Amino acid sequence: MDDNEIDDDSLNYTNVLNLTIPNQFAGERLDATLAKLLPQYSRSRLTSWIKKGAVMVNNSPSISKHKLIGGEKIEIFCEEDQEISSFKAEPVDFNIIFEDEDIIIIDKPANLVVHPAAGNWSGTLLNGLLHHEPKLAQVPRAGIVHRLDKDTTGLMVVAKNIIAQTDLVKQLQARQVKRIYRAIVNGIVPYDGKIETLIGRHPHQRTKMAVVPFGGKEAITHVKVLERFEHHSYIECSLETGRTHQIRVHMKGAKHPLVGDPTYGDIRLPASAPIKEQISSLNRQALHAYRLSFIHPRTKKNIAFKTKLPDDMQQLLTLLRIDYETDFLCDEDNEDYDDEDSVEVFYVTDD
C-alpha cells in the first residue's frame, strides 16, 4: 500500500488519545514524531494506524510522511492490542500495595513470570492484572512498563491507562524512575562504587546476557555495601539504567555473583553447612526490588514506596549474622528488619 492510500477496513477502536505536537518537532515526519511521543507503541503499529486513517491531524486523516509544523492537534483512535486480547484473565496471587485511578504498585513474589512468553503462556502477572482490572486489556501490555525476572521479588509499577503508561515510559527513558534493590552476594565486596559497562547477549550462550567490550547497551549500577560477612556481602544496588539481568550480570562481572543465582551464580563458593542449606532452599537469586520512586503521572508529585525483604532472604541474613556475629551497618534507610508493616509509602519533597 502506498503512503498516500488509506485503508478503510473496519477498526476495533478501544481508546482515543489526544496530543498536541510540541514546536520542537517542526519539520519532522508524523510517523517519526509519534514514535518519539508514544514509545509504548512500536513504529510499525503507529504506521499501520496512520494508513488505516486512525490518526487525525487537525481533524483530518494524514499520511506517515506528513511534515509537521508544531502545534497540530492529533487524535489517535487506538486499536485493541491483539496480543493482549489473546491472553486470558486468570486469578493470580500477587500483592497490590497501592492503587488509584492511574497506577498500581505491586510487591511481586518469587516464581511469578511478568509477561506471557514461550513456556509461560498462563499464570503470569499480566494474566492476573487482566483478572484484577479487565479494562487493562485496552492498554498495551496490560499497563506493564518494566519487568522483574521471574524469581526476583519486589516493587513494580503498572499503568492503568494509556496516558499514565506514556508518562511512565518517558520517565524510564529519562532515568527519572529510581529503583533500588537489595541483594546478597558471594564474597566480600570491598567498597561502595559504580559499575559502568556495556551489556549485550552472551557471545556463546544466547539465552544469557554478559558484559561485552562493544555492541552492547550502556548499563550503570551504583553499589553500596550494607553488611559484610565471612564469605558473603549484603548490598544495595541503585539502577541508573534498566538492562536485562543488569544487577545479576554486573555482580558476576565484579566477581561477586548473587547468592543462589541459577544462571550467573557459583555454587562452589565457600559457606558453612547451614548457610549452604539455606541458600539451596532459596531456589532463586537473592535479589529484591526494595524501593521505587517516580513522578505520579496525574499529580506530578514525587512518590516513593519501599517494602521489606521477603522471608527467605531475611532468614538467610539471620543465619549469616549468627554465623559471623556481624555488626550491622545501620543507616536511615536500612530499617527493613524492625518495621511491623510490610510496605511503606512516602512522598519525596522537591527540595
Side-chain angles (χ1 to χ4, degrees), residues 55-122:
V55 178
M56 309 293 284
V57 179
N58 292 333
N59 297 317
S60 298
S62 190
I63 59 175
S64 295
K65 61 185 179 183
H66 172 79
K67 292 294 181 70
L68 300 165
I69 61 174
E72 291 94 337
K73 302 296 183 182
I74 307 295
E75 190 174 25
I76 303 173
F77 296 86
C78 304
E79 285 184 277
E80 180 179 6
D81 190 323
Q82 296 302 313
E83 181 186 59
I84 294 300
S85 67
S86 69
F87 299 138
K88 294 181 179 179
E90 300 172 351
V92 175
D93 186 23
F94 58 88
N95 186 24
I96 294 175
I97 63 173
F98 178 86
E99 182 173 4
D100 63 17
E101 59 187 321
D102 298 294
I103 61 172
I104 304 172
I105 303 297
I106 293 163
D107 190 359
K108 189 183 89 67
N111 198 36
L112 177 60
V113 174
V114 170
H115 195 282
N120 293 285
W121 290 113
S122 64

Side-chain angles (χ1 to χ4, degrees), residues 71-289:
E72 291 94 337
K73 302 296 183 182
I74 307 295
E75 190 174 25
I76 303 173
F77 296 86
C78 304
E79 285 184 277
E80 180 179 6
D81 190 323
Q82 296 302 313
E83 181 186 59
I84 294 300
S85 67
S86 69
F87 299 138
K88 294 181 179 179
E90 300 172 351
V92 175
D93 186 23
F94 58 88
N95 186 24
I96 294 175
I97 63 173
F98 178 86
E99 182 173 4
D100 63 17
E101 59 187 321
D102 298 294
I103 61 172
I104 304 172
I105 303 297
I106 293 163
D107 190 359
K108 189 183 89 67
N111 198 36
L112 177 60
V113 174
V114 170
H115 195 282
N120 293 285
W121 290 113
S122 64
T124 71
L125 176 61
L126 185 146
N127 298 116
L129 286 168
L130 293 176
H131 182 267
H132 170 74
E133 177 51 83
K135 291 181 180 179
L136 285 172
Q138 301 174 9
V139 184
R141 297 180 297 280
I144 294 170
V145 297
H146 67 119
R147 302 186 188 188
L148 294 177
D149 295 335
K150 173 184 176 182
D151 288 322
T152 297
T153 57
L155 298 173
M156 291 181 60
V157 58
V158 173
K160 292 181 68 175
N161 53 66
I162 291 177
I163 300 296
Q165 187 181 51
T166 300
D167 188 277
L168 289 169
V169 168
K170 288 180 179 178
Q171 289 188 54
L172 283 162
Q173 292 177 334
R175 301 182 182 179
Q176 293 174 312
V177 178
K178 305 302 181 184
R179 291 163 289 170
I180 297 177
Y181 293 69
R182 296 281 173 91
I184 304 170
V185 300
N186 287 304
I188 309 302
V189 179
Y191 44 76
D192 300 347
K194 174 183 176 182
I195 303 175
E196 186 171 4
T197 71
L198 298 177
I199 286 181
R201 287 289 171 188
H202 193 287
H204 306 300
Q205 297 171 279
R206 303 303 293 173
T207 59
K208 296 174 62 175
M209 308 301 289
V211 172
V212 294
F214 53 85
K217 294 182 178 179
E218 179 189 38
I220 302 173
T221 305
H222 299 270
V223 178
K224 176 181 179 181
V225 181
L226 302 177
E227 291 184 79
R228 298 183 182 93
F229 308 102
E230 185 174 8
H231 300 296
H232 300 86
S233 300
Y234 178 38
I235 65 172
E236 185 172 275
C237 296
S238 175
L239 292 185
E240 194 168 322
T241 57
R243 308 307 176 199
T244 302
H245 298 175
Q246 179 171 318
I247 293 173
R248 300 167 67 186
V249 170
H250 269 170
M251 295 315 298
K252 176 179 174 61
K255 302 190 185 306
H256 296 291
L258 269 61
V259 161
D261 193 326
T263 303
Y264 304 100
D266 188 348
I267 62 174
R268 299 169 297 177
L269 293 174
S272 66
I275 290 174
K276 285 185 176 180
E277 182 178 353
Q278 182 63 34
I279 291 173
S280 178
S281 70
L282 277 175
N283 198 32
R284 69 181 187 95
Q285 63 271 6
L287 182 62
H288 178 68

Side-chain angles (χ1 to χ4, degrees), residues 313-338:
M313 287 181 65
Q314 290 271 26
Q315 290 164 5
L316 177 56
L317 278 176
T318 298
L319 280 179
L320 288 169
R321 291 175 184 137
I322 293 172
D323 193 62
Y324 191 56
E325 297 181 351
T326 182
D327 290 327
F328 186 49
L329 304 180
C330 290
D331 61 46
E332 61 181 1
D333 289 327
N334 219 349
E335 301 168 350
D336 48 3
Y337 312 100
D338 301 320

